[in-house]
Amino acid sequence: MSAEGAGQGPGPEPGSEPGPICPEHGQALNWFCCSERRLVCAACTGLGGRCRGHRIRRAEKRAEELRNKIVDQCERLQLQSATITKYVADVLPGKNQRAVDPTACLILGQSMASAARELVIQRLGLVRSLCESEEQRLLEQVHGEEERAHQSILTQRVHWAEALQKLDTIRGSLVDMLTHLDDLQLIQKEQEIFERTEEAEGILDPKESEKLNFNEKCTRSPLLTQLWATAILGSLSGTEDVRMDERTVSPFLQLSDDRRTLTFNAKKSKACADGPERFDHWPNALADTSFQAGLHAWMVNVQNSCAYKVGVALGQLPRKGSGSDSRLGCNAFSWVFSRYGQDFRFSHDGQHEPLALLRCPAQLGVLLDLQAQELLFYEPASGTVLHIHHASFPGPLFPVFAVADQTISIVH
């Protein structure tokens, strides 16, 4: 027994005033059992008592501790009340005045709300001004390119009109010689015939020239592209409801019930029924929808994977075997952004373009503009355009996915 005194247990204190009585032993409850947290009598702590061996304290000592705790708590409550009273009396009225009282601006300066409004207006005004300047620059560039191409065509028209006239003159001269000169005269004109023939041969046949074509690159602007991508993918406005075609999912992948998440499994599943649409070796999957015109966008969550591919592919992409024909980015049928560890690249037809990324994207946005024949990859968190590919896509395109580590999923 651990108690305030040693021996067989505490006994009643002489001269103590009568108090509560132990119902078991009929003695005064002058002790406190710390183990059972209740008042007990001396007999409860002795031989045969239920509290023998427990830590025992005198009841008045326990009461003194409780009184001290109450005093400390009351002091803390008093300080807390004083803090709240001061906050309500001094701080809140000042905040309310600065927030809603227009006369307070004259005394306290510009309100927080007014400053916030000014900040929004100022920044959007700057963006608007920048957009207007970029619009003006690009339109002038388009107009200049249009004028250049038009002038090149006019110059070519004049050149070839003169060439036609010259050829007609030479031919007329040669025909005249052939018709009116006798043998001796013709021999005497041999040098002139040679010069005329050589002059005609110097007029080359027309060839296709890029100088005569309108250069669409004049419309490419990093600022415009970034703002455009942000407007579409930054708020997920106008994005497609893309889902996987379960008939195409590799047996090394598990497809979620909503057909938006692919999980890699190194062990080939035997539950997948083989079919002509299914990829049987590479961990690939096609979406169930194809696009052949217009603008399309979708977002993929890739933060859990260190090995994935995201992009587009033609429907005739081969599905069978371990060759490059069915490996995304290694054939003429697919265009993909890929990650392997810290290595990022854009791949098409076996050509791999390394991409220097400062960080690993958590989400990857894909924009497909079939009118402009443009494929763009975008990171919404930083508003960064990761890569742009311009190509003449030969047919309808399917969103395509591959994952060889953990999970990727289409953001809904």
Side-chain angles (χ1 to χ4, degrees), residues 17 19 29 124 141 165-166 177 185 282 349 353 373:
E17 299 199 359
L29 300 173
L124 285 177
Q141 195 162 303
Q165 184 177 1
K166 193 171 185 179
M177 290 181 186
Q185 290 175 325
W282 298 109
D349 202 11
E353 182 177 346
Q373 295 287 283

Side-chain angles (χ1 to χ4, degrees), residues 173-237:
S173 174
L174 292 174
V175 169
D176 185 66
M177 290 181 186
L178 185 63
T179 304
H180 298 96
L181 299 181
D182 58 27
D183 293 347
L184 294 177
Q185 290 175 325
L186 195 62
I187 293 172
Q188 291 174 347
K189 292 285 186 178
E190 182 177 356
Q191 181 62 32
E192 183 179 346
I193 294 171
F194 172 77
E195 291 175 355
R196 291 283 184 166
T197 303
E198 191 175 52
E199 184 179 4
E201 290 175 349
I203 301 175
L204 303 177
D205 293 337
K207 292 184 179 180
E208 177 62 31
S209 172
E210 287 296 324
K211 294 181 180 180
L212 301 177
N213 298 329
F214 179 84
N215 184 7
E216 295 181 355
K217 292 181 180 179
C218 71
T219 63
R220 296 176 188 174
S221 157
L223 173 63
L224 177 60
T225 299
Q226 186 168 348
L227 291 174
W228 172 70
T230 301
I232 295 173
L233 283 170
S235 61
L236 288 179
S237 60

Side-chain angles (χ1 to χ4, degrees), residues 286 289-294 296 298 311-317 332-335 348 368-371 373-375 391-399:
L286 283 177
T289 304
S290 65
F291 308 121
Q292 54 185 351
H296 307 276
W298 57 97
V312 295
L314 297 170
Q316 55 265 46
L317 172 68
F333 306 104
S334 55
W335 298 257
H348 169 64
L368 177 63
D369 189 345
L370 289 168
Q371 179 180 355
Q373 295 287 283
E374 183 175 273
L375 176 65
S392 297
F393 299 110
L397 295 171
F398 291 81

Side-chain angles (χ1 to χ4, degrees), residues 106 133 161 173 249 253 338 359:
L106 301 175
S133 298
S173 174
V249 176
L253 299 177
S338 66
R359 64 177 187 177

Side-chain angles (χ1 to χ4, degrees), residues 336-340 343-347 352-355 357:
V336 294
F337 176 99
S338 66
R339 175 189 178 184
Y340 289 98
D343 178 28
F344 297 88
R345 60 179 62 180
F346 172 79
S347 301
H352 309 286
E353 182 177 346
L355 304 177
L357 271 62

Side-chain angles (χ1 to χ4, degrees), residues 283-318:
N284 303 341
L286 283 177
D288 59 4
T289 304
S290 65
F291 308 121
Q292 54 185 351
L295 173 64
H296 307 276
W298 57 97
M299 193 94 71
V300 185
N301 189 332
V302 295
Q303 63 181 340
N304 296 324
S305 180
C306 292
Y308 61 81
K309 293 180 180 180
V310 173
V312 295
L314 297 170
Q316 55 265 46
L317 172 68

Side-chain angles (χ1 to χ4, degrees), residues 248 276-281 286 315-321 326:
T248 70
E277 298 91 356
R278 192 176 305 281
F279 294 95
D280 67 354
H281 180 81
L286 283 177
Q316 55 265 46
L317 172 68
R319 318 294 172 87
K320 306 302 180 184
S326 57

